[in-house]
């Protein structure tokens, strides 16, 4: 009974995380790896396949976004969530002449905090913690200054009280950047892999949320605005809540689409806004409306550091606030 009570608590933690991540296809293992890893990504609506500017942390979501220009760069991202849950990422990239490519190591983590542990009749018998981490090993190769292909290998570890699980996943991505860098196209297949070790041997292996995303970003020559759009969840086309509650074709299509717009007067400053139709339809409160599905953010360069902030409104009850700090160590070399 003690074990049953603990497992019930862990399932409650998992369900809370699913709500925070605004995922209707819940029940997948390691859903934290789909959280945005940069504030710019958060500000533009979340799960994009391409960004209009170079962003080291974003390469965790599409490895082909990793380019030679990011050599010797480091990025840190921190996102506090509701109920004391904390998540974040850190990444570092380096060009390797020996393998004709650029390598990056990026770590994602989420810490759910500390919880009271009780027995089957509700008596407190201690506390337990829960956390998950994924290490992203990325190799990216540029065939020219226009085309980049890349792959990610990521071991994933999850510890919920005395239970732990281990999984392996892989991402594959491609990127096209025009000569003037005003037009970009990105595509990525994410989370190919499996849960290797289960939390409980009595349970079935949980699946990973394998996903395909295709996106584009465009900035007109003289306009200080850039538009970014991504089509996601392509492998899971019907997003109806259930068989008895089918949604229209148009509603289903827009639930796959994320749209963002940036005001970019220069490379040193930006303001971004995003709209995620799926998040809004699945998480807004119909009685009070609210801003679920909307996001915004801004960023600027201070001395040698790029600092940005992004806010994603995932539910009427609250939002996720993301802060990213990045730099290139070569900026400090005189």
């Amino acid at each position: 009974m003690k074990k049953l009570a603990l497992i019930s608590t862990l399932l409650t933690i998992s369900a809370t995380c699913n709500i925070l991540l605004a995922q209707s296809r819940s029940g997948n293992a390691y859903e934290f790896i789909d959280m945005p890893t940069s504030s710019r990504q958060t500000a533009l609506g979340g799960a994009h396949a391409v960004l209009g500017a170079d962003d080291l942390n974003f390469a965790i979501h599409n490895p082909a976004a990793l380019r030679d220009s990011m050599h010797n760069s480091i990025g840190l991202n921190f996102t506090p969530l509701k109920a004391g849950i904390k998540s974040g990422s850190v990444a570092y990239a380096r060009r390797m002449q020996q393998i004709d490519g650029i390598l990056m190591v990026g770590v994602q983590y989420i810490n759910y905090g500390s919880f009271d542990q009780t027995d089957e009749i509700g008596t407190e018998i201690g506390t337990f913690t829960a956390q998950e981490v994924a290490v992203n090993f990325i190799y990216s190769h540029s065939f020219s200054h226009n085309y980049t292909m890349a792959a990610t290998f990521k071991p994933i570890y999850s510890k919920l009280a005395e239970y732990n699980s281990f999984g392996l996943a892989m991402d594959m991505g491609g990127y096209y950047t025009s000569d003037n860098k005003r037009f970009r196209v990105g595509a990525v297949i994410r989370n190919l892999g499996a849960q290797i070790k289960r939390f409980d041997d009595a349970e079935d292996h949980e699946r990973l949320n394998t996903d395909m995303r295709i996106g584009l970003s465009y900035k007109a020559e003289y306009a200080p605005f850039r538009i970014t759009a991504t089509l996601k969840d392509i492998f899971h086309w019907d997003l109806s809540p259930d068989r008895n509650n089918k949604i229209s074709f148009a509603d289903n299509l827009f639930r796959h689409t994320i749209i963002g717009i940036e005001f970019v007067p220069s490379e040193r400053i930006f303001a971004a806004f995003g709209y995620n139709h799926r998040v809004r339809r699945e998480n807004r409160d119909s009685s009070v409306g609210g801003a679920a599905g909307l996001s915004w953010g801004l960023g600027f360069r201070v001395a040698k550091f790029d600092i940005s902030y992004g806010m994603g409104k995932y539910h009427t009850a609250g939002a996720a606030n993301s802060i990213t700090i990045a730099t290139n160590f070569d900026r400090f070399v005189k």
Side-chain angles (χ1 to χ4, degrees), residues 132-320:
E132 298 180 285
V133 63
V135 183
N136 295 258
F137 298 98
I138 300 176
Y139 170 73
S140 178
H141 175 75
S142 295
F143 294 92
S144 67
H145 61 276
N146 300 110
Y147 298 97
T148 302
M149 297 290 289
T152 302
F153 173 74
K154 51 185 173 186
I156 309 166
Y157 177 74
S158 179
K159 184 179 187 299
L160 307 177
E162 67 263 34
Y163 301 97
N164 57 76
S165 171
F166 177 74
L168 293 173
M170 182 178 182
D171 303 340
M172 296 184 293
Y175 228 68
Y176 167 79
T177 304
S178 64
D179 290 336
N180 54 25
K181 295 186 178 181
R182 291 189 289 106
F183 179 69
R184 302 187 183 198
V185 177
V188 61
I189 299 176
R190 288 179 46 78
N191 305 330
L192 291 166
Q195 183 183 50
I196 307 300
K197 182 184 182 300
R198 298 166 287 177
F199 288 108
D200 189 332
D201 291 338
E203 301 293 329
D204 293 331
H205 284 90
E206 298 177 82
R207 67 178 185 274
L208 274 64
N209 183 30
T210 305
D211 180 22
M212 181 176 182
R213 305 172 186 175
I214 300 173
L216 61 86
S217 178
Y218 175 74
K219 180 184 178 300
E221 184 175 0
Y222 299 108
F225 295 97
R226 179 163 51 218
I227 297 175
T228 301
T230 290
L231 192 67
K232 68 181 294 284
D233 290 311
I234 296 176
F235 290 155
H236 316 296
W237 188 252
D238 187 359
L239 298 178
S240 299
D242 54 64
R243 294 181 179 179
N244 298 321
N245 190 15
K246 290 290 186 179
I247 58 179
S248 67
F249 174 82
D251 187 10
N252 189 72
L253 176 62
F254 282 115
R255 291 190 190 208
H256 286 275
T257 307
I258 303 172
I259 300 174
I261 185 169
E262 293 178 273
F263 174 65
V264 282
S266 74
E267 293 184 359
R268 293 176 172 266
I269 186 171
F270 76 88
F273 302 88
Y275 176 67
N276 189 318
H277 184 68
R278 181 178 177 184
V279 171
R280 181 161 184 80
R281 294 293 294 175
E282 294 182 357
N283 294 281
R284 73 185 181 99
D285 188 327
S286 59
S287 63
V288 297
L294 302 178
S295 57
W296 68 277
L298 52 87
F300 47 86
R301 182 170 297 175
V302 178
K304 296 176 174 60
F305 294 91
D306 296 311
I307 302 172
S308 57
Y309 164 81
M311 188 279 286
K313 188 73 171 178
Y314 296 127
H315 192 271
T316 306

Side-chain angles (χ1 to χ4, degrees), residues 1-7 117-120 125 162-163:
M1 291 296 293
K2 174 184 172 182
K3 183 176 180 181
L4 180 61
L6 182 55
I7 291 176
Q117 185 173 345
T118 64
D119 61 18
E120 61 271 15
I125 57 176
E162 67 263 34
Y163 301 97

